[in-house]
Amino acid sequence: MKRCPRCKKTYSDENLNFCLEDGELLSVLAYDPQPSRYSDDPPPTVVLSEARVTNPASWPQSPPVHWQPQHIQRQPFLQQNYSDSRDQTLPTISLILGIASVVLICCYGGIWLGLPAAVLGYLGMRNVDADGERYTGRGMAVAGLVMGGITLLFSIIQVLIFFFSILRS
């Protein structure tokens, strides 16, 4: 008598080694002198009598090929011709400073962010006008120049109002 340790199903076939329900290795039940009581033994060790015979492979019989180094021209990873890309660093920085000066206008941002935005915007526009093949970003430069100039003027007006209010009191 054999029993599956997982699903506890018993089998009376002595030639059966695995459970038909879940594929678990069956354990042999030893007979206990008390009727209808069986105890579990550890599962038996399965020993194969001889090696499994497989079909012979029919590989083509050819002589081994000797490896010869090939002359490979190595190229750098992600090769890019940077001379084709055009520079837009100054207009980008001008636009970022112009946006930051608008956001921080309450803290006199036009003085310490608007002035550099206007200057870099002007330099970026001058670069694009002088050498359009090498530089780009005229729209960003104009936007940075305008935002920086407006916040600079607004901050100067704020400072003047602040000083006049101090002088009056």
Side-chain angles (χ1 to χ4, degrees), residues 11-154:
Y11 296 96
S12 60
D13 187 6
E14 292 299 321
N15 293 329
L16 196 61
N17 290 326
F18 298 97
C19 179
L20 297 176
E21 298 294 321
D22 57 16
E24 186 72 26
L25 186 63
L26 297 176
S27 60
V28 178
L29 297 175
Y31 181 72
D32 197 359
Q34 296 178 356
S36 74
R37 246 183 85 186
Y38 289 93
S39 63
D40 284 327
D41 283 342
T45 304
V46 178
V47 179
L48 298 176
S49 58
E50 56 186 62
R52 188 173 116 181
V53 179
T54 59
N55 294 333
S58 58
W59 296 97
Q61 298 296 328
S62 61
V65 178
H66 294 289
W67 181 79
Q68 295 179 1
Q70 298 175 357
H71 298 289
I72 300 173
Q73 182 181 5
R74 296 188 184 255
Q75 296 179 356
F77 184 68
L78 292 174
Q79 181 180 5
Q80 202 174 27
N81 189 358
Y82 288 105
S83 64
D84 292 344
S85 63
R86 299 187 324 182
D87 187 19
Q88 56 185 5
T89 305
L90 288 178
T92 304
I93 295 172
S94 171
L95 181 65
I96 291 170
L97 289 175
I99 292 171
S101 69
V102 169
V103 171
L104 298 174
I105 199 164
C106 62
C107 307
Y108 303 106
I111 295 173
W112 51 279
L113 290 174
L115 180 63
V119 169
L120 290 177
Y122 173 74
L123 292 176
M125 281 184 6
R126 193 179 69 179
N127 285 346
V128 172
D129 291 340
D131 190 5
E133 297 283 325
R134 185 172 172 199
Y135 297 104
T136 185
R138 181 174 177 79
M140 289 190 292
V142 169
L145 176 69
V146 168
M147 284 190 283
I150 290 172
T151 56
L152 178 63
L153 290 175
F154 188 74

